[in-house]
Amino acid sequence: MAENKEQRFRFSEAPIWDLQRTYYEEEGLNAWNNDQVPQYITSNPMIATAYAEMIFGFLQDRATKGDDFEPITILELGAGAGRLAFHILHKLCEMRDYAGITLPPFRYVMTDLALKNVDGWRYHPAMQSYIEQGILDFARFDAVHDAELNLVVSNTTIRPGDLLQPLLIVANYFFDSIPQELIYVGEGKIYECDVVIESPENSNLLEPSEALEQMTLNYEHRRAPRYEEETYLYRDLIALYQKELEDSHILFPEVGLTCLERLNKLSQAGFLLITADKGDHRLDNWKFAEPPQLTLHGSFSLTANYHAIQHVFDQRGAQTLFTEHHYKNINIGCIFMLDSPMRYGNTRLAYRRFIERFGPDDFFSMKEWVDLQFETMGLHQILAFWRLGGYDAEFFIQSAKQISNLLSEASDEELLDIQRGIHIMWSSYYVMEQRYDLALDAGLLLFEMDMYEDAKLFLETSIQADEEEPVPTVLYCLAICSYELGMEEEALEYTREALVLEPEHEEALELLKCFE
């Protein structure tokens, strides 16, 4: 049996961060396939709509100030699977075209540490139209070190001072996944928490996810006078913690703060930060905090210290918005590091309407309940929740069986609403490697509704995308669709293909008689 070894590290320099980095660099976009790394809560159409509304409000505010000529750069940090960016762009362009008002031009820049992710986004089919319009670009960005952005598509570099418009930053599940310091406050003194890691001797031979799973973390305190020196950049915040906290372990986002400061220098007009995370902005939530536990999901995540970020920028004249009510799953904030933040009324109103009043955290809490209620829900309830979630594909997949069960009782109006919803969903569908075939489920449901033209379109899309041999029942459905649409040659061909795969397919044999 292999023996374990112990090593001691400063928390921000522990090997967990290298393993995290290696995991994403090796896996690329595969890290999010089938939710190995959770992405739904921060990447669904509902949260993207809330973000697009705030971004649209910001564009309106800049236009009101007369700044409608220079482009606004929207920078997403840690864009991950790319699904959030796609949904935001889809909704933002839809709003821009519908409103028909003068707005500043914009470009959305997706960034991540892993070059594989940048390449994956650049060649993803869903991104191509936005690239062609010149409103989407990409860059590899290291939050720990980088001070400029090297854009891939336009082959340009954004350096400090280059931007005349404020930089708009989107950071979802970002601050909890980059290196953080860990300090301990006790009896008015600041201690650094070193982490003692126990791991198998052969841990260097393990995959990053396996190495993380087999680690045991323990913490030891040592006095850390650097945090109490007057020259320390965040001395005021540390002094607050010394005064207000006792016996508390604090994840301190020094890397996150310095990253924001470097990004702030890119623009001559400051930044707006829209951010969501499992993170606490209330000081009370850090009182008597225990040492952190890694939340493992291929990689790992921690709790983001939004209180520190909020406090630092409040002290510098920013306005920060977090919800008055307490969050359950995801905390969403907005920080205006801008001149005269109160003049951004459209942006602040959008936060109030789409985050404060009822936001993505509320929606996710409801969805957890709805997921358990499908068998008791009526069609009108399912359709209402589907609309609320922005015609989300994952919800459709979950509810497709119940929708099918309820079709016999559906009104013509409800059938038309299902059909319309499927088309809206498909128009904003971001393809990832998942356990389900959305086109197949949509096509079969439309087939049940006798909407043969649409059913044929989706079922053929499914067959073309699937590398495996088609299922005879799907070929039979396509034969029926073609027959009902007066396309007898295609109907005969699909019937024959189904019988080649399943010679005793009774329905296909009956249909074949129609061609004799």
Side-chain angles (χ1 to χ4, degrees), residues 11 13 258 444 457:
F11 188 72
E13 297 171 357
T258 56
L444 291 175
L457 171 66

Side-chain angles (χ1 to χ4, degrees), residues 88-105:
I88 289 175
L89 280 168
H90 179 82
K91 183 56 66 174
L92 188 58
C93 290
E94 184 181 85
M95 293 170 65
R96 175 199 62 189
D97 296 342
Y98 183 83
I101 59 178
T102 301
L103 296 170

Side-chain angles (χ1 to χ4, degrees), residues 41-42 44 46-47 50-51 173 276-279 323 325-332 354-368 385:
I41 189 171
T42 56
N44 59 71
M46 200 278 181
I47 192 172
Y51 279 28
Y173 271 45
D277 222 314
K278 180 183 65 177
T323 60
H325 60 268
H326 293 78
Y327 82 99
K328 176 65 171 63
N329 297 286
I330 183 172
N331 196 5
I332 300 177
F354 295 95
I355 307 297
E356 178 73 49
R357 186 185 67 84
F358 180 88
D361 184 54
D362 305 300
F363 172 77
F364 189 77
S365 294
M366 288 185 61
K367 186 178 182 301
E368 288 183 311
F385 194 79

Side-chain angles (χ1 to χ4, degrees), residues 171-224:
N172 270 19
Y173 271 45
F174 173 75
F175 294 109
D176 73 324
S177 301
I178 59 176
Q180 301 180 59
E181 306 298 337
L182 180 60
I183 61 176
Y184 173 77
V185 184
E187 297 181 351
K189 296 183 174 59
I190 300 294
Y191 298 81
E192 189 122 40
C193 292
D194 290 339
V195 58
V196 179
I197 296 179
E198 184 179 337
S199 56
E201 286 286 351
N202 66 342
S203 59
N204 60 316
L205 302 177
L206 300 175
E207 294 294 324
S209 58
E210 296 173 326
L212 286 166
E213 287 174 0
Q214 296 188 32
M215 282 182 172
T216 300
L217 276 58
N218 293 293
Y219 300 95
E220 296 181 0
H221 304 158
R222 59 177 168 80
R223 286 284 284 122

Side-chain angles (χ1 to χ4, degrees), residues 94 105 232 254 364 459 496:
E94 184 181 85
Y232 181 60
E254 190 170 300
F364 189 77
L459 293 176
R496 288 171 173 166

Side-chain angles (χ1 to χ4, degrees), residues 58-59 62-63 66-73 103-107 161-166 267-269:
F58 186 75
L59 295 175
R62 294 304 296 179
D67 297 317
D68 57 358
F69 299 105
E70 292 290 333
I72 288 176
T73 298
L103 296 170
F106 61 86
R107 60 179 170 186
D162 280 355
L163 302 179
L164 301 181
Q165 293 271 35
S267 170
Q268 299 178 27

